[in-house]
Amino acid sequence: MKMTRRDLLSAAALSGAAGALAWMGRTPPARAAALAGEPAPHVPVETLNGTSLPWTWEDGVKVFRLTAEPVEHEFAPGMKAHCWGYNGRTPGPTLEAVEGDRVRILVTNRLPEPTTIHWHGLLVPNGMDGVGGLTQPHIAPGETYAYEFTLRQHGTFMYHPHSDEMVQMALGMMGFFIVHPQASPEPPADRDFAFFLMEWAVEPGTFTPNPNVMTDFNLFTLNSRAYPGTAPMVVRKGQRVRIRLANLSMDSHPLHIHGHNYWVTATDAGPIPPGARWPETSVSVPVGTTRTVEFTADNPGDWAFHCHKAHHTMNAMRHDLPNLIGVDQGAVRNLQRLLPGYMPMGKDGMAEMAEMGMPGPANTLPMMAGEGPFGPIQMGGMFTLLKVRENLESYADPGWYAHPPGTVARKVG
């Protein structure tokens, strides 16, 4: 096959590290761009705890292959669940292409019920919109359908079912569709991360998310992982960082960053003109939308990045317990003679939950978790870290930040 410069650049940048390296004989994207005589047009998106989907060229069309299927998914070490997704994972692999590309996505259904795929935010012909019964027949189990269209815009979009979508999305069926611009006056990002926001109802001791729950969720995730199972964002000081956020859960999520301010630069309807952008430290991501934020990582350290709804940074807990804050439970301890497993708690707050090591039901994450350099971090759910370092040699987790002398809060009383 004759390889053009455009083929070379696109395959390197768009197939994700594994796919590109395999297809190009382990030539990394930067090297591919150098071989082509031009800088790479963009950096590949990093879907932490996930991956991008390799594609193939077929007569000038980029062909992607997605398989809708049941998957066994790990939310964090110690908890797995029976979910549904694409290509063995939830969220499904990220699709990356370039504005102007002709794409064909072959979707095979290995679910026990029909499905479709809707290309959320993309401007496609009506018959490619993926609404079962309205714009196409439902894809029966065992069938493969082809979606084909030309990408007329760039930005951060999503794909998800439009067939029994309440059940299928509640079980994890969703993914990113990233369309890079052909050319852009914007300064390029050095690091480009993508996070899918999701909430689940998995009763303690069970293994299947309950799609019937409408409001009272007990597990909140970034790319279908709950802290401490979430990977950190590792960046070099001075790098320009882009974070793409997508939300197909039942609630909005304000994603807050510590130590930096970011600019809201785009929605799923397209880029925001530079003069209309606004700074935030918490960006709310409404249901059924994407938000893109950018900033310069100029403040070294280990910085928290999390949803600012307090219950969304907790793992499984019951929300119908009586309020015991400030209640003397001394007499209640007599219950332990009748109920040996009973543990009074909550008089002085819930922080003790992170330290008591109380065994929970099987396949259930502790409400709070994480051990930092100064003690328990007491977080869960939609929480991860931004690690900013000088002189990084790789993007592997560099460990805990070494604070310069005199820069850590100290006990004075």
Side-chain angles (χ1 to χ4, degrees), residues 45-345:
V45 170
E46 293 187 57
T47 310
L48 295 178
N49 297 115
T51 188
S52 288
L53 183 65
W55 46 264
T56 58
W57 272 119
E58 294 185 12
D59 299 324
V61 178
K62 289 178 179 173
V63 180
F64 299 85
R65 292 171 172 78
L66 284 175
T67 299
E69 59 189 353
V71 300
E72 183 180 87
H73 175 70
E74 182 185 74
F75 286 97
M79 181 184 180
K80 294 182 178 179
H82 305 309
C83 299
W84 289 0
Y86 299 95
N87 296 33
R89 62 176 62 248
T90 171
T94 296
L95 277 60
E96 292 188 69
V98 177
E99 184 179 10
D101 281 346
R102 183 77 175 173
V103 297
R104 182 183 305 136
I105 305 102
L106 302 175
V107 179
T108 298
N109 182 10
R110 291 182 182 161
L111 298 172
E113 69 167 3
T115 190
T116 63
I117 291 191
H118 167 58
W119 313 103
H120 188 116
L122 285 166
L123 304 176
V124 299
N126 185 241
M128 296 291 164
D129 199 40
V131 181
L134 177 65
T135 61
Q136 68 165 87
H138 296 266
I139 307 173
E143 293 182 336
T144 296
Y145 270 52
Y147 296 86
E148 183 166 333
F149 43 86
T150 299
L151 299 171
R152 301 163 49 196
Q153 66 215 98
H154 65 266
T156 303
F157 310 101
M158 303 179 279
Y159 64 86
H160 63 78
H162 233 298
S163 177
D164 193 14
E165 62 178 83
M166 181 196 79
V167 168
Q168 295 187 13
M169 288 198 289
L171 292 179
M173 297 186 68
M174 61 201 72
F176 277 105
F177 198 136
I178 307 296
V179 183
H180 297 282
Q182 284 188 334
S184 174
E186 302 288 327
D190 299 299
R191 306 283 280 151
D192 194 337
F193 300 100
F195 290 105
F196 233 107
L197 317 177
M198 190 58 183
E199 50 196 13
W200 314 72
V202 187
E203 289 297 320
T206 69
F207 291 81
T208 303
N210 184 357
N212 300 322
V213 171
M214 294 178 64
T215 56
D216 196 11
F217 301 94
N218 61 4
L219 192 62
F220 305 88
T221 57
L222 300 172
N223 290 337
S224 298
R225 296 278 289 185
Y227 187 77
T230 52
M233 295 178 283
V234 179
V235 306
R236 187 176 295 118
K237 181 186 176 184
Q239 286 187 317
R240 185 176 179 84
V241 180
R242 177 181 295 137
I243 303 176
R244 305 169 190 261
L245 303 163
N247 182 10
L248 287 177
S249 73
M250 293 285 285
D251 293 291
S252 63
H253 300 285
L255 266 293
H256 177 57
I257 193 166
H258 291 212
H260 297 79
N261 300 328
Y262 39 41
W263 289 84
V264 183
T265 60
T267 73
D268 46 335
I272 299 171
R277 296 174 184 177
W278 67 97
E280 291 278 15
T281 64
S282 298
V283 59
S284 183
V285 188
V287 179
T289 68
T290 71
R291 292 289 183 269
T292 301
V293 296
E294 298 186 19
F295 63 98
T296 299
D298 56 3
N299 198 0
D302 291 336
W303 302 106
F305 176 73
H306 61 93
C307 179
H308 222 298
K309 291 186 176 178
H311 278 222
H312 294 188
T313 50
M314 297 291 111
N315 291 323
M317 63 178 292
R318 294 193 61 174
H319 300 138
D320 57 352
L321 295 172
N323 183 3
L324 297 176
I325 301 296
V327 176
D328 183 357
Q329 300 178 60
V332 183
R333 293 180 186 276
N334 292 330
L335 283 173
Q336 290 177 320
R337 288 180 292 182
L338 300 174
L339 300 172
Y342 177 79
M343 297 178 67
M345 62 186 72

Side-chain angles (χ1 to χ4, degrees), residues 30-43:
R31 176 63 175 157
L35 291 173
E38 292 185 3
H42 52 263
V43 297

